[in-house]
Amino acid sequence: MHDSQLRQHGGTRALTRGGARLAGGMTLCAAAVAGIAGGALTGYMRLVALSRPLDTAPWQALVTAHGLVMLFFAAIPALIGGIGMLALPGILGTRDIAFPRLAVAAAALQGLATALALAALAAPGAAVESAAATTLGSFALHLSGIAMLGLAAVAITSILTHRAPDRRLSEMPVLGWALLSANAMVLMSMPVLAAAIVHLGGPVTQPGLGWVFGHPAILMVVLPALGLAAQGIEAETGRPLAGRRTVAATMLAATGIGFFVWAGRLFSEGLGPDALAPWLGALCIGGPVLAVLLAALRSLRHGPGSGWSVALTLLMAAGLTGTVALALAGREVTGLMHQTIGLGAAFAVMAVLNARLGPAAGRLGRGQFALMAAGAVLLLTAEIFGLGRMTTAGALLCLAGAALAVPLILRLAGARTR
């Protein structure tokens, strides 16, 4: 065999054996870039909100673009395609995943979609919804949807058919069930997103897209975040999560019932704002959140749990309770739901990072937890009680805590090279 053939064979074998690591790493890097851009945009928006009126067309375009970047290019790819793909081999007890080449190709496509989305933000006239920004944004969302469909197909196939012989499906950890449920929602709802983009004529100009896709997006972020919280509690207590099968059943039920109820109302009510959307969202995530919270309380009797995991579970429960309370009072709940989803995704990612570092996180990790926990309390309190300036303070605290992820990542990279 010639040298070129040997190199090609070796590269193919490395790709086949490291598909999960490569695809997950690529997706996580793209999500990190999108998250940094979205975080910078958040800080800018909070500062603008202190000095300018917020009912102008440029402001609405900015809010919509920020939401799309943080949801479709940061939160969902990071949890499902990044951390989820990296965790699958350990969950399944295998060296790699099914269809590793497809996973790597989908991750590369997600990176391209992220680049196009950021180009749309930087395009001339983006604040006034120019044709160039709208076209780039629409194309980026289409590419991201295709990439996430590929990653979802790989994850579902791996979970159902690529497990080790001694790994029974019924004994899979909660994180595995969370990934299965979230990827099933991706597989069912992403084609609807593509049709909605075509029908609406461009995501940047139509905030109504949030009404179309807000319900499935909640489950795509909340379920993996809850799975990571459960995984952290299991790792800290050294025991399987109490009521693990019940938690898994509620996640599957939330996915199935949530999709069919959402799809039914979408076809019956159309693409406009839906007054029942907050109630449907709270109903679907309420079961998994309550199940994980009760299971965590039962498990924590056997030992202390990770602060990140416990805080993430309590955050989800508080956000859900606040959403129901605001809906009962007839007030707007969209902001609180978005804050809860965004904070849940951020806490889940930081929980994984600090768990990988362990004691090496040190004071830096504790400082990051203190900043983000304080910011989350301020954000949720401000959203529930309508305290605008406190919202800005909470967002800036969370951004400061998230920025500490950079030195933590450098510390982790240094530890791995030694």
Side-chain angles (χ1 to χ4, degrees), residues 99-342:
F99 309 119
R101 296 182 185 180
L102 175 59
V104 173
L109 192 61
Q110 179 63 31
L112 176 60
T114 302
L116 290 176
L118 297 182
L121 284 179
V128 292
E129 304 169 349
S130 68
T134 300
T135 302
L136 279 176
S138 299
F139 190 50
L141 272 179
H142 278 295
L143 289 183
S144 178
I146 295 171
M148 293 308 300
L149 282 173
L151 292 172
V154 169
I156 293 174
T157 305
S158 299
I159 291 173
L160 296 181
T161 66
H162 208 65
R163 302 186 309 278
D166 60 336
R167 298 292 176 97
R168 299 174 58 185
L169 191 63
S170 59
E171 298 175 355
M172 190 166 59
V174 172
L175 180 57
W177 289 107
L179 292 175
L180 178 62
S181 303
N183 280 289
M185 181 60 80
V186 170
L187 208 60
M188 292 186 293
S189 59
M190 279 296 179
V192 181
L193 170 64
I197 294 173
V198 174
H199 181 85
L200 291 171
V204 181
T205 60
Q206 293 289 345
L209 186 63
W211 291 101
V212 176
F213 205 67
H215 186 89
I218 293 174
L219 290 172
M220 291 180 198
V221 175
V222 169
L223 292 180
L226 290 174
L228 289 171
Q231 190 81 1
I233 293 172
E234 288 181 340
E236 291 292 330
T237 59
R239 301 169 60 94
L241 190 71
R244 180 171 57 184
R245 294 183 179 180
T246 302
V247 174
T250 59
M251 289 182 172
L252 291 175
T255 302
I257 296 174
F259 172 76
F260 286 109
V261 171
W262 166 74
R265 291 198 60 80
L266 181 63
F267 281 102
S268 62
E269 302 293 335
L271 300 176
D274 186 357
L276 291 180
W279 289 103
L280 295 176
L283 178 64
C284 286
I285 68 173
V289 169
L290 183 61
V292 172
L293 179 61
L294 294 177
L297 293 176
R298 291 173 59 189
S299 296
L300 292 176
R301 294 182 302 176
H302 304 289
S306 166
W308 286 101
S309 301
V310 175
L312 174 57
T313 307
L314 293 176
L315 169 68
M316 292 293 180
L320 174 65
T321 305
T323 299
V324 174
L326 291 184
L328 287 173
R331 292 173 52 191
E332 175 64 38
V333 300
T334 306
L336 179 59
M337 293 181 69
H338 289 174
Q339 297 286 5
T340 304
I341 294 172

Side-chain angles (χ1 to χ4, degrees), residues 349-350 353 364 368 400-411:
V349 173
M350 300 309 167
L353 177 60
L364 194 59
Q368 183 191 44
L404 292 180
V406 176
L408 287 173
I409 292 173
L410 295 177
R411 184 175 294 184

